[in-house]
Amino acid sequence: MKYQAPTSIEEAVALLSSDPGARVFAGATDLIPQFQGGRPEPSMLVDLKGVPQTGVLECQNGYWRVGAAVPAARLTSHRELVSAFPGLVEGTSLIGSDQIQGRATLGGNLCNASPAADSVPPLVALGATAVIVGAAGRRSVPVSEIVIGPGATSLHHAEFITEFRIPVPARGCSDAYERFIPRTEMDIAVVGAAARIRLDDQGRCRDATVVLGAVAPTVAEVSAAAEILRGRQLAEAPNCKAFWEELGEAAVASCNPIDDKRGTVQFRRRVAAVLARRTVATAARRAKEAI
């Protein structure tokens, strides 16, 4: 197995195009365990951390640019990013241990294509876009369209993500993420939930997005959330209003979970309803502080 560390997009694309068995990586926190678990090794590994565009982290022209190879530890310690997207940072901070945080990346967490990835529901809820480059040029794709199934993405061979672009939150807008795990830390989500809420000046919901993880082959958006929550005063306690129950029912209807050793179908649906309500309430509280 060959190892290559290109320093430009053009060099990386050329390397990938020259070898059908080549594979990219950023942090390798998933790659190495996969090899140890018996997966076939690629003929060439292409390390993307040396490509400058994958390490960008800045806010400009109405959106944040977050490089696909920026380590999670850098994201969680970036004050402006934490303030802008607390839910995304919450999800990112749950990827592995402190040591893993020094290597793990948003690009790797997405392209590993695990249904339980913690940073993907927040990215989708925020309307993030992935900038993809390859032999055919450059294209931008919503993050929601990247993962097409467990372990599978819509990226073509010789394509890779250079950065994510996330719209700057409007006034009165914020997000949140929570997950349920059997242990207190270092585990994979049985259910994850992200919410993005925008309030008007009176504290009423103007717009809402709720996205669930680990309850379907890909992330599941609760499509009815905006209609259920729009015009509501979300500062009320989650169990005080009938619309909270309606939101929970919509979350359950959006699930397509499996039974496994970590949770049953019935359990995952119940937890999805609870986490949907919790993350909406948290995002709404943060949004109110941002008015």
Side-chain angles (χ1 to χ4, degrees):
M1 182 172 59
K2 298 178 181 178
Y3 167 81
Q4 298 288 348
T7 57
S8 69
I9 289 175
E10 294 76 15
E11 184 183 0
V13 171
L15 286 168
L16 292 169
S17 300
S18 68
D19 187 346
R23 181 175 176 182
V24 300
F25 77 95
T29 58
D30 286 309
L31 193 68
I32 301 303
Q34 288 170 2
F35 294 164
Q36 293 174 337
R39 291 196 185 183
E41 294 184 359
S43 53
M44 180 193 298
L45 280 177
V46 179
D47 187 345
L48 296 179
K49 281 190 178 291
V51 178
Q53 290 87 341
T54 68
V56 66
L57 182 56
E58 63 183 13
C59 182
Q60 63 174 212
N61 301 324
Y63 56 83
W64 277 85
R65 298 177 61 203
V66 181
V70 175
R74 184 180 170 198
L75 300 179
T76 58
S77 63
H78 195 286
R79 291 183 179 180
E80 291 81 5
L81 191 75
V82 172
S83 177
F85 309 115
L88 175 60
V89 173
E90 284 168 338
T92 304
S93 69
L94 295 172
I95 304 173
S97 63
D98 289 344
Q99 294 90 337
I100 294 295
Q101 288 275 307
R103 292 289 301 178
T105 65
L106 293 185
N109 199 227
L110 174 64
C111 292
N112 190 49
S114 166
D118 286 305
S119 69
V120 179
L123 282 171
V124 173
L126 292 168
T129 298
V131 178
I132 301 168
V133 297
R138 169 175 157 169
R139 61 192 179 106
S140 295
V141 177
V143 169
S144 59
E145 298 178 10
I146 297 295
V147 179
I148 57 176
T153 74
S154 59
L155 299 182
H156 306 305
H157 180 68
E159 282 192 328
F160 59 90
I161 297 172
T162 59
E163 66 183 71
F164 299 97
R165 297 192 174 187
I166 312 171
V168 171
R171 172 183 166 86
C173 184
S174 193
D175 67 319
Y177 177 77
E178 286 194 41
R179 71 176 183 182
F180 173 82
I181 57 175
R183 303 187 299 181
T184 56
E185 60 183 342
M186 288 291 292
D187 210 336
I188 299 170
V190 177
V191 179
R196 182 192 62 83
I197 302 296
R198 184 179 180 187
L199 305 179
D200 62 19
D201 291 342
Q202 286 71 48
R204 293 186 298 266
C205 179
R206 294 184 59 181
D207 190 28
T209 305
V210 179
V211 179
L212 304 173
V215 296
T218 63
V219 293
E221 183 172 347
V222 183
S223 56
E227 182 179 351
I228 293 169
L229 299 175
R230 193 173 289 120
R232 304 289 189 177
Q233 287 281 353
L234 300 183
E236 303 290 343
N239 295 321
C240 292
K241 298 291 183 179
F243 68 82
W244 288 109
E245 293 300 321
E246 188 178 357
L247 175 64
E249 292 170 1
V252 171
S254 301
C255 295
N256 181 25
I258 60 171
D259 280 314
D260 62 18
K261 63 182 180 181
R262 311 188 66 255
T264 65
V265 167
Q266 181 182 12
F267 179 72
R268 281 190 162 101
R269 285 175 173 158
R270 292 182 63 183
V271 174
V274 172
L275 292 187
R277 292 193 292 263
R278 286 183 182 177
T279 52
V280 166
T282 301
R285 185 185 71 249
R286 291 170 176 170
K288 190 172 183 179
E289 295 171 354
I291 295 177

